[in-house]
Amino acid sequence: AQSVTQPDIHITVSEGASLELRCNYSYGATPYLFWYVQSPGQGLQLLLKYFSGDTLVQGIKGFEAEFKRSQSSFNLRKPSVHWSDAAEYFCAVDITSGGSYIPTFGRGTSLIVHP
Amino acid sequence: DAGVTQSPTHLIKTRGQQVTLRCSPKSGHDTVSWYQQALGQGPQFIFQYYEEEERQRGNFPDRFSGHQFPNYSSELNVNALLLGDSALYLCASSERTGIGTEAFFGQGTRLTVV
């Protein structure tokens, strides 16, 4: 079945430190992958997306993600975390359903940033 | 551009009651999807509307129903509410869905069933 796994429920980093959030997917064809961020009490905001081409994708707010087909991964990274990055992060993959494409989300990783 | 707007922002209902949640899509978008996000979980797809018809449906019972109006706005109705229906309900709009179509999300409606 097509799915997304985020193995880390919580990640704690110090402000200024680097960040990597893990995402593994299960999909038979070329996946279309997304990272979303959700601040407390808010909806989801798209950080970046991968369709094809360059496997290193740049997004908003200084985030990037690297698609690695051999590892079925699409990990999110940021070189220096700010306190305002504390939020819930969701990886998603487009799955095909009756001719439509429905984003399917992982359970999320909660990022905690220490001053 | 107001983006995707949802109303109300919060709602408290009693078990067995019925509830209607509303969503106005982003300007230029004609497809609306609804998601349920339980506490500590990722959003779960409920259904998607396009051209005033339900096009896709996730694994939710018939108690969950919806509607899309000619102006593309949408409603989510839940009948016979259960305690387990307590969640954040998210509406997302997009142009007619295609592979990799970006969905824009509203802030959600927090439903509490007591």
Side-chain angles (χ1 to χ4, degrees):
Chain A
Q2 302 156 340
S3 65
V4 169
T5 302
Q6 295 181 248
D8 304 306
I9 297 175
H10 303 283
I11 291 284
T12 302
V13 298
S14 297
E15 191 170 15
S18 63
L19 169 70
E20 182 169 31
L21 302 182
R22 297 185 290 166
C23 172
N24 296 101
Y25 66 88
S26 172
Y27 194 73
T30 300
Y32 291 81
L33 297 158
F34 307 80
W35 274 100
Y36 285 85
V37 62
Q38 185 179 34
S39 298
Q42 301 295 313
L44 278 70
Q45 181 183 22
L46 181 68
L47 286 175
L48 48 78
K49 55 188 177 184
Y50 170 78
F51 297 153
S52 64
D54 193 348
T55 56
L56 185 62
V57 180
Q58 302 298 320
I60 63 171
K61 304 184 180 186
F63 286 92
E64 67 179 25
E66 186 171 13
F67 171 65
K68 293 185 177 180
R69 184 185 300 275
S70 61
Q71 298 177 18
S72 298
S73 69
F74 187 56
N75 294 348
L76 182 71
R77 302 194 296 242
K78 186 170 185 177
S80 178
V81 170
H82 188 263
W83 65 267
S84 61
D85 293 324
E88 194 82 16
Y89 291 81
F90 294 95
C91 183
V93 62
D94 260 3
I95 67 167
T96 57
S97 178
S100 295
Y101 298 91
I102 308 298
T104 298
F105 291 84
R107 63 173 298 166
T109 297
S110 179
L111 175 63
I112 301 165
V113 180
H114 282 317
Chain B
D1 183 0
V4 180
T5 58
Q6 293 186 242
S7 63
T9 55
H10 296 83
L11 203 53
I12 299 175
K13 289 287 189 179
T14 303
R15 276 181 301 174
Q17 285 188 316
Q18 179 265 345
V19 69
T20 298
L21 310 181
R22 295 177 176 82
C23 173
S24 293
K26 181 179 170 63
S27 177
H29 287 183
D30 57 7
T31 300
V32 174
S33 302
W34 286 92
Y35 290 81
Q36 181 194 66
Q37 186 179 16
L39 201 60
Q41 301 296 317
Q44 298 294 312
F45 175 72
I46 302 175
F47 43 53
Q48 182 182 81
Y49 277 83
Y50 171 69
E51 290 185 338
E52 302 180 48
E53 289 189 16
E54 182 182 295
R55 300 293 179 169
Q56 297 296 330
R57 188 178 184 91
N59 188 25
F60 279 80
D62 292 343
R63 297 187 297 108
F64 289 77
S65 63
H67 189 76
Q68 185 179 35
F69 299 93
N71 66 353
Y72 308 123
S73 66
S74 177
E75 289 182 348
L76 164 65
N77 300 292
V78 187
N79 295 322
L81 284 167
L82 304 174
L83 295 179
D85 295 331
S86 295
L88 181 68
Y89 288 84
L90 295 166
C91 170
S93 74
S94 61
E95 297 176 10
R96 178 65 180 110
T97 185
I99 192 71
T101 299
E102 179 177 348
F104 289 78
F105 284 81
Q107 292 189 332
T109 294
R110 173 72 62 185
L111 173 64
T112 302
V113 182
V114 297

